[in-house]
Amino acid sequence: MTQAGNAQAGPRARQRQARIAQILAGAERVFAEAGFEGASMSELAAAAGLPKANLHYYFGTKEALYTTLLDSILALWLSATDSIRPEAEPAEALTAYIRAKMRWSRERPQASRVFANEVLHGAPYLRSHLAGPLRALVQEKSAVLEGWIAAGRMAPVDPPHLFFSIWAMTQTYADFGAQIGAVLDLPEPDADCFARGTDTILQLVLRGCGLEPPGR
Amino acid sequence: MTQAGNAQAGPRARQRQARIAQILAGAERVFAEAGFEGASMSELAAAAGLPKANLHYYFGTKEALYTTLLDSILALWLSATDSIRPEAEPAEALTAYIRAKMRWSRERPQASRVFANEVLHGAPYLRSHLAGPLRALVQEKSAVLEGWIAAGRMAPVDPPHLFFSIWAMTQTYADFGAQIGAVLDLPEPDADCFARGTDTILQLVLRGCGLEPPGR
DNA sequence: GTCTATATGACGATAGAC
DNA sequence: GTCTATCGTCATATAGAC
């Protein structure tokens, strides 16, 4: 049996991991710009700095490359809700969550766009993950919010729909960056744009939930 | 010179208009599901109930068909801000705007997705429209909000970013309907889902702007 | 493991009969 | 105006030398 992880792996396996990471990094860029159908294996190979055939050697098909990339992006996506825990202060938890999502839009806009493109077209490869792990996560975190509401620590709100709105507002700065940039006369959203966006979203969510900005 | 409009046109021109509308209606569905590159002329022809060659007869190229469709969608998109006028009541104007955008997501999800896909991939065909008419519209409506803020009729807020958030929250119910449906265990967002979503968005925006729901 | 050269098929677009 | 048959191109994927 060959080693799959990267810890304690031999130089052979380590080089393999490096090549795979190299291919996935390029693929994130290309799929983000062109979508699944719009991306060609030639472009994907050029982005990775390798001949076309090597991509087929490592992943078999374009579809397998795409789904591997999607899985790694979804894992990132799911890991951002850590701050929402029953013992946390609601305003602090929501602020931390929104800031984490905005940081993700700023630092990984291409990953966000690959994910958005997949969902936009009906999530053919991701639907089972969304109905499984994501649904479970939303139910868990919604229960935390319900607890806060029942305890009078925040105003009543429909927790899943609050999440849908937070996802939409934060991801729009990555996914629809072209539109925001066009309206603001920028080539793409810059640091100031993200700062103003974060403030606006925090204002809407915190006040909408009857909370004050966390003192610090 | 042939007549382009549909009023006062002869039966020849009227049939031509009908065929074009038929092709565009099918194209909206196909482009929404597959994107520009993912849609094939065969699928587009099948969706219109016509042979492939007829589409080329009416539009020349796939790209021309796509841009014609995009233009018609953008015109719809721009026409939703009518309620935001200086003499209106802020809470009523924002409520009407949000309800109109949600109605659009509910009734024309495919049009919304075609637009989203175009922007997501950098708006290659729409960039000039976004930097032109859309930017002008945002500046005009932002000035209205600035007036309300200066008059103490609503809390201070960054108007363009408020628009970005409202667009994101309302359009997510069309564009990311697959994700929302998966989380809520629905095949797609239904009437109840849209009602709860509308209430949540109204709560965030109105309270976020220091407003009370309009009495009615 | 790597890469060149190529097989196979689908695509957008058009020619030309009706 | 409409439709069938087809052209040339470019895609994914693979065979086989190194």
Side-chain angles (χ1 to χ4, degrees):
Chain A
M1 171 158 80
T2 52
Q3 292 152 311
N6 47 6
Q8 289 296 80
R12 249 351 195 322
R14 205 153 36 211
Q15 200 198 350
R16 183 181 173 80
Q17 285 302 110
R19 285 264 185 275
I20 287 177
Q22 174 183 4
I23 294 168
L24 288 174
E28 184 175 298
R29 208 164 57 241
V30 175
F31 280 129
E33 281 164 18
F36 176 75
E37 317 267 3
S40 74
M41 290 300 282
S42 306
E43 289 173 289
L44 291 163
L50 292 172
K52 219 169 51 162
N54 294 32
L55 276 63
H56 280 106
Y57 172 74
Y58 282 108
F59 289 95
T61 67
K62 178 180 169 184
E63 191 173 313
L65 169 54
Y66 177 68
T67 55
T68 302
L69 176 64
L70 266 186
D71 284 344
S72 78
I73 291 175
L74 184 67
L76 267 181
W77 207 95
L78 290 173
S79 69
T81 54
D82 298 343
S83 63
I84 298 177
R85 321 182 76 229
E87 63 273 23
E89 193 60 35
E92 280 176 28
L94 288 173
T95 298
Y97 181 50
I98 288 164
R99 288 196 187 280
K101 292 289 283 179
M102 283 298 267
R103 212 174 305 124
W104 199 68
S105 284
R106 178 113 168 92
E107 289 167 8
R108 299 292 298 274
Q110 282 141 348
S112 184
R113 283 179 202 134
V114 172
F115 181 83
N117 187 66
E118 165 69 9
V119 175
L120 181 58
H121 296 111
Y125 299 111
L126 226 46
R127 184 168 277 275
S128 61
H129 291 79
L130 299 182
L134 178 61
R135 185 191 299 168
L137 185 71
V138 169
Q139 286 173 347
E140 178 197 329
K141 299 304 180 184
S142 291
V144 175
L145 296 199
E146 296 284 11
W148 290 341
I149 293 166
R153 300 176 66 193
M154 63 181 278
V157 63
D158 193 314
H161 289 271
L162 177 63
F163 281 115
F164 301 154
S165 278
I166 292 175
W167 298 343
M169 288 188 283
T170 53
Q171 288 170 210
T172 201
Y173 284 85
D175 304 340
F176 291 167
Q179 184 178 24
I180 292 174
V183 168
L184 298 180
D185 200 11
L186 301 167
E188 58 180 13
D190 60 9
D192 178 67
C193 173
F194 270 89
R196 288 170 180 266
T198 302
D199 288 346
T200 302
I201 296 167
L202 284 172
Q203 177 176 338
L204 296 186
V205 170
L206 293 179
R207 289 209 194 183
C209 294
L211 300 169
E212 288 301 311
R216 187 163 303 271
Chain B
M1 171 158 77
T2 52
Q3 293 152 311
N6 46 6
Q8 289 295 81
R12 241 6 189 315
R14 206 154 34 213
Q15 201 197 349
R16 184 182 173 79
Q17 286 301 111
R19 285 265 185 274
I20 287 176
Q22 175 184 1
I23 293 169
L24 288 174
E28 184 174 298
R29 209 163 57 240
V30 175
F31 280 128
E33 283 164 18
F36 176 74
E37 316 266 5
S40 72
M41 290 300 282
S42 306
E43 289 173 290
L44 291 164
L50 291 171
K52 216 170 53 161
N54 293 34
L55 275 63
H56 279 107
Y57 172 73
Y58 281 109
F59 289 94
T61 67
K62 178 181 168 184
E63 190 173 315
L65 168 54
Y66 177 69
T67 56
T68 302
L69 176 64
L70 266 187
D71 284 344
S72 78
I73 290 174
L74 184 67
L76 266 180
W77 206 96
L78 290 173
S79 69
T81 54
D82 298 343
S83 63
I84 298 177
R85 322 180 76 230
E87 64 273 22
E89 194 60 36
E92 277 176 28
L94 289 173
T95 299
Y97 181 50
I98 288 165
R99 288 195 187 282
K101 291 290 284 179
M102 284 297 268
R103 212 175 305 123
W104 199 68
S105 284
R106 178 112 167 93
E107 288 166 9
R108 299 292 299 274
Q110 282 141 347
S112 183
R113 283 178 203 135
V114 172
F115 181 82
N117 187 67
E118 166 68 10
V119 176
L120 181 58
H121 295 111
Y125 299 111
L126 226 46
R127 185 168 275 277
S128 61
H129 290 80
L130 299 182
L134 178 61
R135 185 191 299 169
L137 185 70
V138 169
Q139 286 173 346
E140 178 197 330
K141 299 305 181 183
S142 291
V144 174
L145 297 199
E146 297 284 10
W148 290 341
I149 293 167
R153 299 176 67 194
M154 64 180 277
V157 64
D158 194 314
H161 289 271
L162 177 63
F163 282 115
F164 302 153
S165 277
I166 292 175
W167 298 343
M169 288 188 283
T170 54
Q171 288 169 212
T172 201
Y173 285 85
D175 303 341
F176 291 168
Q179 184 177 24
I180 292 175
V183 168
L184 298 180
D185 200 12
L186 302 167
E188 58 179 14
D190 60 8
D192 178 66
C193 173
F194 269 89
R196 288 169 180 267
T198 303
D199 288 345
T200 301
I201 297 166
L202 285 172
Q203 176 175 338
L204 296 186
V205 171
L206 293 179
R207 290 207 194 185
C209 294
L211 300 168
E212 288 301 310
R216 189 159 300 271

